[in-house]
Amino acid sequence: MTFQVEGYEVILAEDGKKALEQFKKNPVDLVVLDLMLPEIDGWQVCRKLREESDIPIIMLTAKDDEVDTILGLKLGADDYVTKPFSPRELLARVEAVLRRVNQTDGNSKYILTYPGITIDQMKRQVKVDGKEVELSPKEFDILWELAHRPGQVYSREKLLDRVWGYDYFGTTRTVDVHIKRLRAKLEEVQPRYNYIQTVWGVGYKFEVVPID
């Protein structure tokens, strides 16, 4: 009811199988996914959605368990909310994710180009050696944040604030999981350079380093 009052159209699915069917039939902007679904559980639904789309996904979990959270993020979820939660809290998380995905400002129309990589913020497109790399919204935001300030070291806390927003309540491990996944996707196209460097004990920075 809270979402309808705020003007959102909501499509419900009572189990994982129906959720996948609804996703194929109806274009949506975001998926709120309960992990404890019957028929096909939320883990499998998340994996399947991420194979087919970069749609933002917020997980709902009954367990305040870091292992569950990290596994969900590895599967491609963008955020998570632990039960119990208020409808207003979930609404705030949904709106925060949608703002990050749809955010445009005066800097959004330029393209960053470095050796071997091009990052287009307007198209939200990344190409490495001419090959497009499919990133989730959060992975793209991390790469953009680092790349448009090359050499600047970002702590995990700063990346959480800049990418997830000040209202995010998760752990800094979230950043590590997304960085690892981002690096893996960039490395899949066998680039000539490494782009995201770890500054031990501090955080991460964007720096173009040739691969020997």
Side-chain angles (χ1 to χ4, degrees):
M1 181 64 70
T2 300
F3 284 88
Q4 285 92 334
V5 170
E6 295 295 330
Y8 291 94
E9 181 181 352
V10 178
I11 300 172
L12 300 176
E14 61 191 29
D15 60 53
K17 182 178 180 181
K18 289 185 173 62
L20 291 173
E21 292 173 353
Q22 290 281 18
F23 182 77
K24 292 180 179 179
K25 294 177 182 178
N26 301 284
V28 295
D29 297 312
L30 181 143
V31 173
V32 177
L33 179 62
D34 195 326
L35 295 181
M36 309 304 289
L37 289 173
E39 294 287 338
I40 302 175
D41 65 33
W43 304 115
Q44 297 180 68
V45 173
C46 183
R47 184 183 293 108
K48 185 65 176 177
L49 290 178
R50 192 49 76 229
E51 289 175 355
E52 300 178 0
S53 171
D54 283 332
I55 188 76
I57 300 171
I58 297 179
M59 300 183 306
L60 304 182
T61 174
K63 300 176 182 178
D64 189 9
D65 189 329
E66 186 179 36
V67 173
D68 279 357
T69 301
I70 292 174
L71 178 56
L73 294 172
K74 284 184 176 179
L75 289 176
D78 295 273
D79 201 352
Y80 73 97
V81 179
T82 302
K83 300 176 184 179
F85 55 84
S86 71
R88 301 301 301 183
E89 178 188 357
L90 180 58
L91 176 63
R93 293 293 190 93
V94 167
E95 291 180 336
V97 170
L98 290 176
R99 280 198 304 271
R100 291 194 293 269
V101 172
N102 298 320
Q103 183 178 16
T104 57
D105 55 32
N107 297 323
S108 65
K109 295 183 180 181
Y110 63 77
I111 298 172
L112 298 178
T113 301
Y114 296 98
I117 190 169
T118 301
I119 308 168
D120 188 327
Q121 189 183 33
M122 184 170 65
K123 295 181 180 180
R124 297 186 69 82
Q125 182 183 72
V126 176
K127 289 186 176 181
V128 175
D129 289 338
K131 302 173 185 176
E132 186 170 352
V133 181
E134 296 291 335
L135 301 180
S136 73
K138 198 66 62 42
E139 291 162 0
F140 181 90
D141 290 342
I142 291 173
L143 181 60
W144 179 266
E145 183 64 32
L146 293 173
H148 87 282
R149 293 187 175 89
Q152 178 172 325
V153 180
Y154 282 73
S155 68
R156 292 167 178 82
E157 290 79 8
K158 185 171 183 177
L159 279 173
L160 280 175
D161 182 61
R162 297 288 295 179
V163 176
W164 278 260
Y166 72 93
D167 55 350
Y168 181 75
F169 301 107
T171 71
T172 56
R173 288 289 301 278
T174 299
V175 174
D176 297 328
V177 170
H178 278 78
I179 290 285
K180 182 178 180 180
R181 195 165 65 222
L182 173 58
R183 281 172 166 162
K185 289 184 176 182
L186 294 176
E187 291 169 2
E188 280 179 0
V189 297
Q190 298 180 330
R192 293 169 291 152
Y193 305 91
N194 286 322
Y195 298 104
I196 300 175
Q197 314 303 326
T198 299
V199 181
W200 297 108
V202 182
Y204 301 96
K205 67 177 179 178
F206 183 94
E207 183 181 356
V208 180
V209 177
I211 296 175
D212 295 331

